[in-house]
Amino acid sequence: MTTITTRTRNTLYHETHQRQTASSHRSSRQNYSKIAHRALHEHSSSSQTRPATRNCIAINKAITQAKTTRQILRIWQETGRNFNYINIATTFNRLAQFGITSNDISIINDIGHTLLQDNASVLNECGTQAIANIVNAFAKLNIQNDALFKAMARCLLASDAQLLKKCTSQHIANIVNAFAKLGIQNDALFKAMARCLLASDAQLLKKCTSQHIANIVNAFAKLGIQNDALFKAMARCLLASDAQLLKKCTSQHIANIVNAFAKLGIQNDALFEAAARCLLALHARLLERCNSQAIANIVNAFAKLGIQNDALFEATARYLLASHARLLKRCTSQEIANIVNAFAKLGIQHDALFKASAQCLLDSDARLLKECSPQHIANIVHAFAKLGIQNDALFEAAARHLLASDAQLLERCNSQDIANIVNAFAKLGIQNGRLFQASAQCLLASDAQLLKRCNSQAIANIVNAFAKLGIQNDQLFEAVARHILASDAQLLKRYNSQDIANIAWAFIINNYCHHNLLQRLLAECFVRTSEFTEEHLWQLHQVWLSLSYEFPKTQVQWDLALLVKIHNTILHPQTRPSNLQDDIRGELHNLGIHFTTEENIRGLPIDIALKDKPLLIEVNGPSHYLRGTHTLDGRSKFKQRILEKIKYKVHTIPYWEWDNLSNSMEKQAYLQRLLQEESTR
């Protein structure tokens, strides 16, 4: 016996259809079953042969005249043993129009099972129209019946796909759309469909309407079935004759088409540029017919394939923000995540849109933010950080949501989500010790299973984030080292130069020296010397400083060519004095104190160095501190540690102390106290 699984949705028709009186039920039976009964009485009830054609025609007439689901199901219950394939197809087609309740599922599956009886004898009589109608009905009613769909695929593919070759473009569109909607994978059927569409110089494909093409590409993409030849031919059809077919697309069709190409990673710049032109034509009339999901899918598709179109994105932002951001307020959490992530991926700065998006997420006690999945939150904070858009309220609310109920949501994060989250907080200098420690616990839980799933970039981003914020977690860093060195450090071969520089730098900045790891990282540098950018070389220079002055007993071998490149890079550090530094230097000059500026000690740029004593003054503006705190970030802590190891006295002047001084007299008095304190140490 075939086991049939079902999925139900809310009834598609009003409850009034379920509340008819007993008399109306009797009336319905009389009105909509009498035609079928009259025909069947002409046929012997004991006959085992298929009912006469005229009887099936009468049944079909009764089905098409029925006005409700109840009436159709009553006809099936009373005369179903005499249904032929046309009656079954008509029944499903009409039920799809009226809708069903969960109570009707078993009856629907009984009807479907009829097609499979006697070695699917009834199903084998079906034509392409009937099959298309049946699968389309199951998809519309959201009923999963894998056995029936599998049998239908066999029928279509039998005898070198003879039946499939008789399909019209609409039949094919309906069939693949139904399989995709119910998530039923059948690669052989889809492959054969593609061959039919492409046969004879794609004659059938050229008969497709814009809706057919949208449905077909959407179905292939939904099931992840790659067919570059089909997609390439579809793009040609859409673009032929000055993109006539593309110009007939609705906004939803365009959204489905570009989304499908992006999902399967199929690059077609010409198609995307033409799609953008269609959306923007006539003052963006088509774009303004998009709903929030279509907008999210369109921008996400362009971003996923890295196709830049500033005019389209600017028009999209205007549309989302129009009428007090009416459309943006209709967005789901996923749609907002996709929209801001798309703008960030392409580096398109739009502060007003991001501000409004944050407001939508935070309104009504952050209702929308609380609906976010871990991936949505990761994408949102990552997008804000990538464009450098500060929004402390949003990040604080995101952290609360992730940590709520013993960090249940955070525990559902995958390794990439956690990497994106901590990296975003670190990029904007937002320290949240609880969030970072909870993230470390998630990564280390169950013998560090989640950490072991991290790719090279995720590992680099995680340790880099902890280092930037100066958050110590030796257990995490030790586990990272073990993970990288496991299996004879095979993982290191997948790392690029940026990953290697970031990881080595993060360990050193966080004052955690792991000899074996650093030795292997620096060994990898030997073969990558030419790949390192100036930023990477500065990071490796700081690693060299730490090993030289903080961990001199750690013996590691450096490549001479790499050291030369580092030396040449640090000879001329690119520094630009701030107004704060100029003000302090001016007051020191007025006091008659001799000092030098733009000093370079072991490659570290120094703000102010006194000439007659080993005293350095570091002028620390807001960028040296974690956001909203008076705590130095990891990089600034490291610089102070190294200078002190080289035997310099280092005094810092925090920006807030200097800002509190109202005149030159107070500023000079402050500097005199500073120098006096240093001389008595």
Side-chain angles (χ1 to χ4, degrees), residues 11 179 208 276 294 303 326 346 389 432 462 572 611 614 618 639:
T11 178
F179 273 76
C208 284
R326 183 176 60 187
L346 295 177
I389 299 174
N432 190 305
I462 289 167
H572 306 289
K611 284 187 174 179
E618 284 295 290
K639 183 178 179 181

Side-chain angles (χ1 to χ4, degrees), residues 71-96:
Q71 292 165 5
I72 294 172
L73 294 180
R74 178 65 64 185
I75 294 170
W76 160 256
Q77 289 167 340
E78 294 179 355
T79 65
R81 67 186 181 280
N82 297 294
F83 272 35
N84 70 359
Y85 76 92
I86 295 174
N87 303 143
I88 292 173
T90 304
T91 296
F92 283 129
N93 191 45
R94 296 286 285 168
L95 289 173

